Amino acid sequence: MTNVRYTKDHEWISVDDDVATVGITDYAQSQLGDIVFVEVPEGGKSVSKGVEAAVVESVKAASEVYAPATGTVTEGNGALGDAPDTVNTDPAGEGWFFKMTLADAAEIDGLMDQAAYDTYLKELDA
Amino acid sequence: MPYTAPAEVPLTTTPLDALHRTLGGKMVTFAGYSMPVQFPLGVLREHLHTRKAAGLFDVSHMGQADLVGDNIAVALEELVPGELLALKPGRIRYTQLLNENGGIVDDLMVARPVNGASDRLHLVVNAARKDKDYALIKSILNGRMILERKDTHALLALQGPKAAGVLATFDSGCTEMPFMSFRPVMLAGADCVVSRCGYTGEDGFEISIPTASAAAFAQELIDHPDVEPIGLGARDSLRLESGLCLYGHDLDEDTSPIEADLTWSIGKRRRAEGGFPGDERILRELNEGPPRQRVGLKPLGRAPAREGTIIETPEGQAVGAVTSGGFGPSVGGPVAMGYVAKTYAASGTCLHLIVRGKAMEAEVVAMPFFPHRYFRGVQ
């Protein structure tokens, strides 16, 4: 069963058995605007919760993408190199950044679920 | 982000503020003004639209002023290296206000009245620098001139290959105007001044219009199918692709016009005679070459190199820093400009840009990155 969780920095992490996929939310891509460059980590890289793991750049500025959990990257989404705008058009799908294994599967329980994230977004816009 | 100002600066709005909000502008603080950084179209499409059709920019935050006094061009030449005596009526010149060390206090446009009057010059200066500029002018030219701030006027920029066609529906004479000329025109029932200039590298106009008429006329322009409202984000990417300097980033009080590669803007007579602040340094740099120079940098990869990025030789020696950098939508890749030691300023030189700790290959290239398309007159 897939379990999708969200960070306050607008990353999503989707956990399916042993593998988690990480990306940025639709809200994040809309705030960034047109994405022109993405740098994703390569397989084998260790990432730590809350620490920069990838970079996303719009015409205006560069932003960091933080790892929602601690673990090891298994694969970066190389397709974003030639088509960074995929993050704008399909942030929750083809626009994923990297896949990773979790050091502690329970770590994501501390992140927001869909309902909590929706409430969080409403508070941000208020 | 270059769009923030110190919090203690009181926020000022332009006469187009309500229109920006109606149009869905995302407002940010720039030089103490609340300005739209982008509209719903987004920076990338706003940029491309301006290159393809016409974009309307609110540049009312810039400082418009008149200098009034006997032989005012002679007086102002004490502060700038531009040739002002030979400036023809109805013509505009780009120059720089200098400090006593030849550093750039601001870059500005100077225009001579259409009637050829020798006692008046029109100025347009940068928003963040206007108070400093006006104080400097007053301190040096005290008693010889009066500075009239034209805070009564908004400034609109209509830029792009279709700008002339659009403006011609209001003012048929505008199509004949050569680049860097201006003339008074009645627009929307108001006394306006239309200048054929801008800061996008495209053909286009700047329209000085009384504040009370500005929003309604801007709305009329936007109602034209070729025109979209454009924010500061695209204004920045357009001027960067065009190799044009942004004060406070590519120009500052330590940098001379020669270092900034603005030698073209210094008149022949001024080069021979000097007579402007820091002339000793500037003429020496003209003859011997400056210690460092502003250059275009084309990253070979896809990663943009932002302002502050350190520039190194392939051997790892630091030789300069990026002063403006980002993604060029019309170039389709990253572009940057920065200052490097003179030895490394030649086109074709391979350098490294240190982005997030990694060395990215880049080449020194001639600017602009995207060709200027100014209207030089009927060929």
Side-chain angles (χ1 to χ4, degrees), chain B residues 305-324:
Chain B
R306 308 281 176 179
E307 181 178 2
T309 299
I310 298 298
I311 306 168
E312 291 184 354
T313 64
E315 293 75 36
Q317 180 198 349
V319 293
V322 170
T323 51
S324 284

Side-chain angles (χ1 to χ4, degrees), chain B residues 125-198:
Chain B
V125 306
N126 281 304
R129 303 297 287 177
K130 57 180 132 178
D131 292 337
K132 180 126 195 165
D133 295 348
Y134 298 163
L136 175 70
I137 292 168
K138 284 175 185 168
S139 73
I140 304 289
L141 304 182
N142 187 30
R144 287 188 279 163
M145 59 96 221
I146 295 165
L147 189 142
E148 296 174 357
R149 288 179 72 131
K150 286 195 282 188
D151 296 336
T152 50
H153 285 66
L155 195 62
L156 310 179
L158 185 66
Q159 301 280 298
K162 294 191 173 173
V166 172
L167 192 59
T169 63
F170 301 91
D171 165 32
S172 60
C174 77
T175 58
E176 312 281 319
M177 297 171 66
F179 181 58
M180 296 297 266
S181 72
F182 75 99
R183 51 191 254 289
V185 179
M186 284 288 280
L187 291 171
D191 285 317
C192 298
V193 173
V194 171
S195 304
R196 197 158 202 167
C197 62

Side-chain angles (χ1 to χ4, degrees), chain B residues 72-126:
Chain B
I72 192 65
V74 176
L76 190 58
E77 278 200 354
E78 291 177 28
L79 282 163
V80 305
E83 161 67 88
L84 300 183
L85 300 185
L87 184 57
K88 293 189 175 77
R91 292 303 175 118
I92 308 163
R93 188 146 289 170
Y94 170 80
T95 188
Q96 307 86 35
L97 278 172
L98 300 174
N99 63 28
E100 58 192 9
N101 301 320
I104 301 172
V105 175
D106 198 5
D107 60 338
L108 73 162
M109 296 292 188
V110 180
R112 183 181 297 277
V114 171
N115 66 9
S118 63
D119 64 347
R120 185 177 288 268
L121 288 173
H122 310 302
L123 310 184
V124 179
V125 306
N126 281 304

Side-chain angles (χ1 to χ4, degrees), chain A residues 64-79:
Chain A
E64 294 82 31
V65 176
Y66 304 109
T70 298
T72 305
V73 174
T74 57
E75 183 188 0
N77 186 358

